[in-house]
Amino acid sequence: MKKILIATMFFAISSAFISCSEDIEDYNKNPNAPEVVPTNTVFNRATKLYTDVMRSSFNSGRLTLNWVEYWGQTAYADEDRYLFRETSVESIYSNLYLAANEFKTIIDINADPDTAGEASAVGANANQIAASRIMLAYLFHKLTDSFGDVPYYSYGSDDPEFQALNVDEFQSPVFATQEKIYADLLKELREAADMIVLSEPVFISGDNIFDGDASKWKKFANSLILRVATRVKSTNAGLANSAISAAINDGVMTSNADNAAQAYGETDLESSPWWSAFISRTDFAVAHPFVNLLKGETGNFGPDPRLFKMAAPKTVTISQIKADDYEESTNYDDYEGVPYAFESLNQLGAATFSYPSSNVLKPDYSEVLMEYAEVAFLLSENNNFSQAEYENGVRASMEKWGVASADVDAFVANLPAANRANVLNQKYVALYMQSHEAFAEYRRTGFPDVLFLPGETYTLPTEQADDANVTSYTFQPAVNATDLPYRLTYPVSIQTLNGANRQQAVSGLSNGDTILSKLFWDNN
C-alpha cells in the first residue's frame, strides 16, 4: 500500500512538471530503455516477493509456524504465547498488496492491445493473464484468511466494492466482505483455468514455480478451487460442491510432479528465506507437540519416519545441519522437541532439543504453495473421508520427504482407518512448513487435536527438566485466549491511511479488531 501511495504522489508531481513543457516528455525518454517491462521478470519478482515475505522468520517463524506448533522459539516465548509483533501484520498486509499490484501489471500489459505484442515475446498473452489471476486469487485468499474483510481486486468482475489496486480511482478502497471475496475467488480460479491454452507456454522463462508449464498451472488452479471451496463448504454447500465438481472434472494435481513450489538458488543471495534466517542465528527448533506426534507418543499413528527427514537429532548443531554434515539417526529417542511456550527457554542446553533438518535448512529449499498430498486429503474429505485417497495423501507426503519405499509401505499398511480425525491429523503432518495454510485448517476443523493449548500442562523430558530445574509448566498465553488466535489484527497504519473503511470492517467482527474474532467460515 505504501508503494502504491508513493507511486500515486509521484505521478501527480510529475504531471505538474510535464504540463510546463510539451517537449519535456521527449527530453526525458531513455532511448535504450524498453517501452514495456518484460512481464516474465515482473512475475518472477512477484512470486519471490510473496514467499520471501510469508515464509520469513518474522511472518511465519514468529507467527503461524509457531502457532500451529511445527516450530517453537529457543530463546524466548512471547510470540509463541500470541504476543505477535505489529511489524509482522504490517509486512504481510502491505507486501501482499505490492505483490498483487505486480500481477495486475502483468494483466494490464497483456490485455492492452498497445503492449500485448511485446508481452507475447516471453509467453502467451492469455496464459500470462491466467497465471496472474491464479496468483492474485492465491494472495487474496491468504489476505482474507489472515484478516477477514480486506480491499479486494478482481480482473473479471465489475463489482463496485472491488476497489483495491485501482489507485487512479480509489486511494481509500472499501473492504470487501469475506463472503464476497470467497465467491469471487472461485469464479476467478475457474475462469483462469478455463482460459489457459495448453499448447502454449505461460512464460518462456521467469516462472520459478512451474517453469512455464501451462498444464501444471491449470491443475494448480483447479486444486486451489478444491482448497477454497472446501473452506466454505459448511457455510455455502451449494457453491462449494458445484465448484469442487467442476475442478475435479477439469483436472487437479495427481502426483508430486504437479506440486506448486517457488524455487530458490544455491547461493546466499538466491537463497530461501529460512536459510537466510539461520545464517547467523538459532532462534527456532522443532516444537514438542509435532515431534511427539511423529514419535508416536501422541495420536494413534505410531512412530513416523518423516521425523528423520523433517528434524535433526538433538545432538546435531546448526553448523552441522547447514553443512549437511551429520548422520541421519533412525532412533526416535535421538529426537526431542523444544518445549512450546515455555518461559524458561534460555535455561535449556541446545543439545536437549532438535533443530530442523538439512532438508529444510538449505539455500535451495523450495517453498511449497500447494502439493498433491493436500489435494489427496481434500479429495478424501469430500468423499466422506475415503480410505484410498487418505492413503494416497500419506504416501505422497512421505515420498516427497524422501522416506524409503519399504518404510512408506509399512507405515501406510498400518494406518488407522480413515475418519475425520485421522485424515485431518495426517493432513497437518503433510502441511509441515506451510504454516499459514495449517493455521487456516485448524481454525476451520479444530484439527490437529494434538496441539498444546493455553491452560494445559506439559511434563518436560528428563534432560530438559534437569536444565530448567522444573519438571513441568503450564501454557500461559500473553492474551486472553483459550485456543489458537482466530485471525490477525489489521495493521495500525490502516487507521490513518484508510480509517473509515477499516472501521466499517471492524464493526462486523464479533470481538472487534482482536485475535478473538472468528472469520465467517470458522465454525468448528
Side-chain angles (χ1 to χ4, degrees), residues 296-310:
E297 295 177 358
T298 58
N300 61 335
F301 300 104
D304 187 331
R306 278 175 289 188
L307 176 62
F308 314 142
K309 306 296 182 180
M310 295 171 167

Side-chain angles (χ1 to χ4, degrees), residues 81-82 454 477-483 486 515-516:
R81 298 168 52 241
Y82 312 149
V479 295
N480 184 26
T482 58
D483 202 343
Y486 298 137
I515 66 170
L516 303 178

Side-chain angles (χ1 to χ4, degrees), residues 191-210:
E191 291 181 1
D194 290 344
M195 77 182 297
I196 290 175
V197 181
L198 294 177
S199 60
E200 299 282 349
V202 176
F203 290 101
I204 295 170
S205 65
D207 173 6
N208 287 327
I209 297 176
F210 290 124

